[in-house]
Amino acid sequence: AMAHLQRGIEIAGHLPDSLERDRLELDLQFALGPCLIATQGPASSTAIATFARGRELCTRLGDPPEYLQVMFWLATGSVIRGELPQAREVTATLLGLAEARNDRPMLINAIRGLGMILLFMGSVVDARELTERAIEAFSASNETDKLAARAAGQDAGAAGLALMSWALWILGHVDMASAQMAAALQRADAVGHPHTQAYACYYASILHALRGEPAIAQRYAERCLTLSEEYGFRHWHGLSRAIRGICMTMLDPSASTLEEVRGVLNQYRSAGYQLGITVLYVLLCPILLLRGEPEAALEVIEQGLSAASHNSERIFEAELHRLKARALIFRGAPGGGTDAQSSLDQALTTARSQQARSLELRAAKDLAALWISQGRRDEALAFLAPIYGWFTEGFETRDLKDAKALLNQLQA
């Protein structure tokens, strides 16, 4: 179908200049856009050229209804390239225009898109609120508008639920996050849209890896990879290989998959893709430490902190600072304790500013362990207990089990 669309665009381009020709070409470009997003990724050169041509045609046609979606595609390309502040401004403008024009499909995608941008920028509370709005708007829409919203490349309902699950996990609603992800996967399967299924599976693999469930995460990564190979989803193919390799090494630190992971990450970056790179660094670092490679871990952490600063992708900035402390302690360098304390303080400050309770708990647990090693047991207990006490769910996950075990040790 994509080849036929591209051939149609080529034919349209040879027709005499006229508004009718521009209208025909825009119709074809508009149909091609979601195909390119799925197969080549929204930041690929072909996709960006197509979106830019669509914008030019919209200008020539005098601001047709497709204009907002074409601009959303361009903003999505900026997001994937890590240009988050710029994309935030464009998407906020598109949201206002969608409201003014009562364009419900665009409204759904603009709210969801802005929520996604804010989530990756670390404004997690605002991201949750926007994503809830997007899900509510989607649920209240008719089937025609729901299908029209799929012009963004995936089903907006499943995508919104997947994004919500990440926000909930970060905010400390650990089991609620898992339930929302299950709903996203169910929705993706119900609509039977392969690209949506791949999208949801990738987000699910990351969520379960963060929850400390690598076997479950690997299954979702494998499904995403299978879908990507079957349908030619280039963007998800590389990412699913990376997370699969990370999960395999989580389950068996001696597994020879890390070189593949490093290769995929290098390819991802060299192709201009940046979004979500920090979470892959966050999942990779503990494995390097388990393998006794603190210097490699520190190198990855610095890459992650550089990406967080350059791209404003601060969603896992607190976790990068925490992992830096762990690597410094593991290395045992002179002054490591002081530097580790500083990194943990930064992790806690960042997590608290984002109300990122799951990341705060991790940093607090590591700081308590550091204090225990310094003989400051009473301070460690008084510090960790109320942070753990905030949680009302997720007690079967590794993070809360580890924190509880440390508290039991302090209370013994």
Side-chain angles (χ1 to χ4, degrees), residues 57-333:
L57 291 167
C58 286
T59 300
R60 288 162 59 164
L61 287 166
D63 192 19
E66 292 86 354
Y67 172 73
L68 296 186
Q69 182 58 61
V70 169
M71 293 305 296
F72 185 77
W73 286 338
L74 286 166
T76 301
S78 293
V79 169
I80 301 299
R81 291 194 301 270
E83 300 161 357
L84 296 178
Q86 301 95 308
R88 178 187 58 194
E89 298 306 314
V90 172
T91 307
T93 299
L94 291 175
L95 174 54
L97 290 170
E99 289 173 330
R101 299 183 185 190
N102 196 27
D103 184 339
R104 193 163 189 86
M106 190 62 243
L107 180 67
I108 293 166
N109 283 329
I111 298 171
R112 175 174 66 93
L114 188 57
M116 178 183 187
I117 292 166
L118 291 178
L119 176 64
F120 279 92
M121 292 184 75
S123 299
V124 189
V125 175
D126 291 341
R128 177 186 179 180
E129 180 184 342
L130 279 165
T131 309
E132 284 177 341
R133 279 182 58 197
I135 293 169
E136 289 168 2
F138 182 84
S139 299
S141 299
N142 60 43
E143 289 303 316
T144 300
D145 286 341
K146 288 179 179 179
L147 188 59
R150 203 178 295 175
Q154 61 283 132
D155 177 79
L161 289 165
L163 288 169
M164 171 67 78
S165 74
W166 277 28
L168 288 170
W169 182 83
I170 292 168
L171 293 171
H173 306 294
V174 181
D175 291 338
M176 196 185 303
S178 186
Q180 291 289 75
M181 186 59 76
L185 292 159
Q186 183 179 28
R187 169 74 190 176
D189 288 338
V191 299
H193 186 239
H195 187 242
T196 300
Q197 291 170 314
Y199 182 106
C201 283
Y202 180 74
Y203 274 81
S205 69
I206 296 292
L207 175 72
H208 287 285
L210 290 169
R211 279 172 54 92
E213 299 161 340
I216 298 173
Q218 185 178 336
R219 289 201 296 271
Y220 286 120
E222 293 281 6
R223 187 178 179 210
C224 183
L225 181 58
T226 298
L227 286 163
S228 299
E229 289 175 340
E230 181 177 357
Y231 292 98
F233 300 150
R234 187 182 304 173
H235 180 74
W236 299 117
H237 185 271
L239 289 174
S240 59
R241 282 175 58 214
I243 188 61
R244 180 188 65 170
I246 287 171
C247 291
M248 290 173 67
T249 317
M250 284 180 178
L251 293 165
D252 178 9
S254 66
S256 57
T257 53
L258 281 190
E259 283 310 309
E260 180 188 25
V261 172
R262 289 189 177 105
V264 169
L265 290 177
N266 288 335
Q267 290 172 10
Y268 185 74
R269 288 195 308 267
S270 64
Y273 291 90
Q274 287 288 324
L275 187 72
I277 196 86
T278 54
V279 70
L280 296 173
Y281 291 151
V282 158
L283 294 173
L284 179 59
C285 285
I287 298 169
L288 293 171
L289 293 177
L290 279 174
R291 290 165 60 96
E293 302 177 33
E295 295 301 331
L298 284 168
E299 181 180 348
V300 169
I301 290 161
E302 291 306 322
Q303 288 176 345
L305 289 170
S306 175
S309 176
H310 183 268
N311 302 339
S312 297
E313 187 182 294
R314 304 194 180 278
I315 179 174
F316 292 109
E317 186 176 20
E319 186 69 344
L320 288 165
H321 286 295
R322 181 188 75 88
L323 289 165
K324 183 175 183 178
R326 287 192 61 195
L328 290 169
I329 292 169
F330 188 102
R331 190 175 64 176

